[in-house]
Amino acid sequence: MSVQVVAAKMAEVELKDVPTGKDMPAGSPMTPTSEGKHLARSDPHEAGSSAAASPTGELSAKAGEDSLCLLTPNPAKMPQASAMKRTDPQQNGGEAFVNRDGTVAEAPRMKKIQFADQKQEFNKRPSKIGRRSLSRSISQSSTDSYSSAASYTDSSDDETSPRDKQQKNSKGNGDFCIKNIKQADFGRREIEIAEQEMPALMALRKRAQGEKPLAGAKVVGCTHITAQTAVLMETLSALGAQCRWAACNIYSTQNEVAAALAEGGFSVFAWKGESEDDFWWCIDRCVNVEGWQPNMILDDGGDLTHWIYKKYPNMFKKIKGIVEESVTGVHRLYQLSKAGKLCVPAMNVNDSVTKQKFDNLYCCRESILDGLKRTTDVMFGGKQVVVCGYGEVGKGCCAALKAMGSIVYVTEIDPICALQACMDGFRLVKLNEVIRQVDIVITCTGNKNVVVREYLDRMKNGCIVCNMGHSNTEIDVASLRTPELTWERVRSQVDHVIWPDGKRIVLLAEGRLLNLSCSTVPTFVLSITATTQALALIELYNAPEGRYKQDVYLLPKKMDEYVASLHLPTFDAHLTELSDEQAKYLGLNKNGPFKPNYYRYENTSTQPCMSSLSPAHVPLGFHRIVFSLKPISNWFNMSI
């Protein structure tokens, strides 16, 4: 007896439970469950129709070598569905396809698990025609819903430069230049998350917004535009300031956060992946605007200050002060001061204790691993790593890498920092001694040409090279842009630089700041720095004329202590209070400051600017000046 005859007889017996034409329209494809009762209809006009309803009329049931493919007649001559799919409860869910001529093809016997709420979704799988567009839409939504700093692909498929777009927010305001205003909702959610981890700024906003200590302030800023910066900007706005902002790094901007700020009415000019020309253009758009004259500068790296000195020096006649937070920017300010070219007071936030000991140390300790993992998926255990510089940034990087099992070497010029590295268990070396054997090179010096072409030529194949300093001058990237070397983009901010013999190194963020270019940083630590910046702006803006000379000033211990105290409630921490007898014995005020200004909390900075400071640079009466302003003393609520 032929197979077809046997199959036909089997069909007569086993198709009793299949619903007849009374139960469903003729020609509809049926997919019974193990009880033979559930029916599923497939619409041939939907892009997500199944293969059973494809234009070729081709049915496939694939499972390894037992795959069967049944071809049905031309669908134009018969109803769309030419087969019925049956499940035999006696054979563990084995399925059979029954053609209209009575032949039965049995599919491989395999269990299927399908959740009820997923059935409809799976029945609408994309056709080959629709897959590409769906894939792009999925990619779009995925990258849009995550931080642009953390995503490997750009958050928009549109390659048009933001400078060539005309964008407006929902209120019709177009005084901004960002990647995509439609991402504002995603950015707002990221800002809301950041607010939860920035208790001091939120407390400052709550206490001071009634008094408006920055009323009339016009702050122009150039920092990393992230969710944390957005919380700072919105705090400054709540305290009465008007803000215009650009990015201090071409890779660190979170596009969705910039969109949220633009939607909120802020004049923001930044997007991830700017060119060098875009970078300076954005800064110029912040500064050079008709009818708006800045009177305060908040800078990170000194580029904004440099641009105003270069292009608009007359603006300094109305600027009350500069607040600078980076090693590089502070170094530039001290150079201007030494040359007699600094024409406004400047506040050195970088060398405050709360910046050095928390942002530089703890932030980098956590973010160095994050940046390297996201970009290279490297395993740290057993890797040989050289960290150039053992300041606070270097200390944080070394501690994290050592904890992950890496073999860590340190290079250093300062004998004190070098001794600290030795006492912490790291081997102090010169870079040329280990450059051939190390797997990862990290620069943390704030200097220039630390890793030159000679060292790059001698590195082993696959060596990862990155920078944790603010500026992109530490690695001589320019020397790699030569005809004999090939650049190959791996993913966003990751490049292979390939030598003629096939050797390649992995260069991250083109030598720019790794953590903010390739990943993110801990919000809580940035809360400490941002609060310090806000207080420095308040002080310089409200200080009586002549209080500060045209010089660079450090924050006093009292201010550092206040910023720290605002963050202690997060940990449910309780400070011990001095008794009157104890305070008298130590010669201290019971309310602080508890350390002299020269006390560095075991912090030994490698920056030469610190050793050149005279007592005049430290405003010992700083806290008295701030709190002598009656409106401000109310919301600081501190005893001096």
Side-chain angles (χ1 to χ4, degrees):
M1 187 180 293
S2 69
V3 175
Q4 283 192 343
V5 174
V6 172
K9 290 187 175 294
M10 290 174 61
E12 291 177 5
V13 176
E14 295 180 350
L15 290 181
K16 296 175 184 176
D17 296 333
V18 177
T20 63
K22 298 178 182 179
D23 300 310
M24 63 182 300
S28 297
M30 298 181 293
T31 309
T33 63
S34 58
E35 293 78 22
K37 294 180 181 179
H38 279 184
L39 304 175
R41 179 161 187 162
S42 177
D43 186 349
H45 300 292
E46 291 182 4
S49 61
S50 67
S54 67
T56 63
E58 189 174 282
L59 293 175
S60 299
K62 296 183 179 179
E65 296 180 355
D66 296 329
S67 297
L68 297 175
C69 183
L70 304 180
L71 296 179
T72 63
N74 191 325
K77 300 180 181 179
M78 61 181 296
Q80 177 65 34
S82 59
M84 295 179 291
K85 185 177 170 186
R86 177 185 57 75
T87 301
D88 187 349
Q90 302 299 323
Q91 297 183 0
N92 296 324
E95 295 176 348
F97 292 97
V98 184
N99 294 322
R100 295 185 68 85
D101 61 2
T103 59
V104 178
E106 189 169 330
R109 298 167 185 172
M110 48 196 302
K111 285 190 174 183
K112 287 189 176 182
I113 300 176
Q114 187 179 67
F115 296 99
D117 58 344
Q118 294 176 338
K119 179 177 290 186
Q120 184 175 1
E121 184 66 26
F122 286 131
N123 283 340
K124 295 183 179 181
R125 297 172 62 186
S127 65
K128 291 182 179 179
I129 298 174
R131 279 174 190 157
R132 180 172 298 180
S133 59
L134 177 60
S135 174
R136 291 186 61 169
S137 67
I138 291 173
S139 175
Q140 172 73 22
S141 62
S142 298
T143 53
D144 282 356
S145 61
Y146 290 96
S147 160
S148 61
S151 62
Y152 293 138
T153 57
D154 191 68
S155 56
S156 174
D157 289 333
D158 185 3
E159 297 299 328
T160 305
S161 170
R163 292 169 61 172
D164 299 330
K165 296 179 182 178
Q166 292 293 329
Q167 299 185 70
K168 293 186 181 297
N169 61 18
S170 61
K171 298 178 182 178
N173 178 27
D175 188 21
F176 60 85
C177 189
I178 60 172
K179 186 71 173 179
N180 187 356
I181 189 65
K182 294 179 182 179
Q183 296 178 326
D185 288 342
F186 289 119
R188 177 50 52 191
R189 294 168 203 159
E190 292 193 25
I191 294 171
E192 289 170 354
I193 292 175
E195 288 176 347
Q196 299 174 21
E197 279 282 288
M198 304 187 82
L201 268 185
M202 299 307 291
L204 196 63
R205 187 187 301 185
K206 183 177 180 180
R207 295 184 189 185
Q209 61 184 357
E211 303 294 342
K212 303 290 185 186
L214 289 176
K218 295 182 178 180
V219 182
V220 59
C222 183
T223 66
H224 302 285
I225 298 184
T226 62
Q228 297 81 19
T229 300
V231 178
L232 171 61
M233 291 171 63
E234 291 180 348
T235 299
L236 297 178
S237 179
L239 303 187
Q242 297 178 29
C243 299
R244 296 180 69 85
W245 230 264
C248 67
N249 185 294
I250 65 174
Y251 292 133
S252 64
T253 298
Q254 294 176 345
N255 287 332
E256 56 273 25
V257 171
L261 288 169
E263 178 61 30
F266 288 91
S267 299
V268 178
F269 301 87
W271 57 93
K272 186 178 180 68
E274 299 170 3
S275 66
E276 288 289 340
D277 181 62
D278 293 334
F279 175 80
W280 294 111
W281 179 86
C282 288
I283 290 178
D284 192 71
R285 283 293 304 274
C286 278
V287 176
N288 184 23
V289 55
E290 187 176 351
W292 198 87
Q293 161 71 52
N295 53 26
M296 295 296 299
I297 295 175
L298 178 55
D299 211 354
D300 185 353
D303 291 318
L304 173 60
T305 303
H306 168 76
W307 187 256
I308 296 177
Y309 265 107
K310 180 180 177 181
K311 295 290 186 178
Y312 311 103
N314 290 333
M315 283 189 176
F316 281 104
K317 294 178 180 179
K318 294 186 178 180
I319 290 176
K320 292 188 174 183
I322 302 169
V323 175
E324 172 59 57
E325 75 149 320
S326 76
V327 171
T328 304
V330 165
H331 185 60
R332 288 179 172 183
L333 288 175
Y334 280 114
Q335 286 179 325
L336 288 172
S337 177
K338 187 175 181 180
K341 297 180 179 180
L342 185 63
C343 50
V344 295
M347 200 65 69
N348 172 4
V349 171
N350 178 74
D351 290 306
S352 65
V353 175
T354 45
K355 172 65 165 59
Q356 281 279 341
K357 294 303 296 183
F358 295 93
D359 193 333
N360 291 12
L361 175 63
Y362 297 115
C363 176
C364 295
R365 189 176 71 180
E366 296 198 16
S367 61
I368 178 63
L369 302 180
D370 187 21
L372 286 170
K373 280 286 189 185
R374 292 198 199 197
T375 50
T376 64
D377 305 312
V378 65
M379 181 174 180
F380 298 106
K383 291 293 190 299
Q384 296 190 59
V385 185
V386 59
V387 176
C388 302
Y390 201 67
E392 295 307 308
V393 173
K395 287 180 173 70
C397 293
C398 288
L401 292 163
K402 181 180 180 181
M404 294 300 292
S406 297
I407 302 166
V408 183
Y409 304 99
V410 172
T411 70
E412 182 55 71
I413 61 170
D414 186 326
I416 298 176
C417 291
L419 183 59
Q420 283 184 313
C422 294
M423 298 293 284
D424 288 337
F426 301 109
R427 183 182 171 192
L428 190 74
V429 298
K430 292 183 177 181
L431 189 55
N432 64 350
E433 296 173 353
V434 296
I435 197 63
R436 289 186 180 276
Q437 68 192 62
V438 292
D439 302 292
I440 305 174
V441 178
I442 304 171
T443 55
C444 312
T445 67
N447 205 336
K448 66 179 294 185
N449 293 335
V450 177
V451 179
V452 294
R453 177 62 186 270
E454 176 192 353
Y455 295 146
L456 294 163
D457 287 336
R458 294 169 58 195
M459 287 178 183
K460 67 192 293 187
N461 182 50
C463 183
I464 299 170
V465 185
C466 61
N467 170 45
M468 283 291 287
H470 174 84
S471 183
N472 63 334
T473 59
E474 302 194 39
I475 302 168
D476 188 10
V477 176
S479 69
L480 297 176
R481 301 190 185 279
T482 54
E484 74 272 14
L485 300 183
T486 302
W487 283 61
E488 181 179 80
R489 176 53 56 95
V490 180
R491 54 173 70 151
S492 181
Q493 321 312 332
V494 183
D495 290 289
H496 280 158
V497 183
I498 307 171
W499 269 251
D501 63 357
K503 184 200 86 169
R504 63 183 63 197
I505 65 169
V506 182
L507 180 64
L508 304 183
E510 298 183 22
R512 296 178 183 272
L513 183 58
L514 171 68
N515 54 5
L516 278 161
S517 296
C518 302
S519 62
T520 56
V521 293
T523 300
F524 186 82
V525 173
L526 293 187
S527 174
I528 299 171
T529 300
T531 305
T532 306
Q533 290 172 320
L535 294 179
L537 285 170
I538 292 171
E539 166 56 16
L540 284 178
Y541 181 71
N542 289 281
E545 187 176 353
R547 179 76 70 181
Y548 291 104
K549 299 178 181 179
Q550 297 170 351
D551 213 335
V552 184
Y553 293 84
L554 289 173
L555 293 173
K557 282 292 182 296
K558 186 66 176 178
M559 187 64 69
D560 279 320
E561 290 173 357
Y562 176 62
V563 172
S565 69
L566 289 175
H567 290 84
L568 289 176
T570 302
F571 303 100
D572 192 25
H574 305 277
L575 282 172
T576 300
E577 296 182 6
L578 289 174
S579 66
D580 292 338
E581 182 181 2
Q582 289 173 324
K584 183 177 180 180
Y585 178 79
L586 294 175
L588 298 176
N589 186 314
K590 288 179 63 175
N591 298 304
F594 299 98
K595 298 289 189 296
N597 279 287
Y598 56 79
Y599 185 81
R600 300 307 300 165
Y601 298 84
E602 294 80 40
N603 173 35
T604 53
S605 173
T606 59
Q607 300 307 314
C609 58
M610 288 300 299
S611 61
S612 64
L613 291 178
S614 67
H617 287 91
V618 182
L620 297 177
F622 180 88
H623 55 284
R624 296 188 183 91
I625 297 169
V626 171
F627 305 118
S628 65
L629 299 171
K630 186 175 180 181
I632 301 179
S633 63
N634 294 335
W635 49 267
F636 269 117
N637 192 25
M638 294 176 61
S639 302
I640 303 302

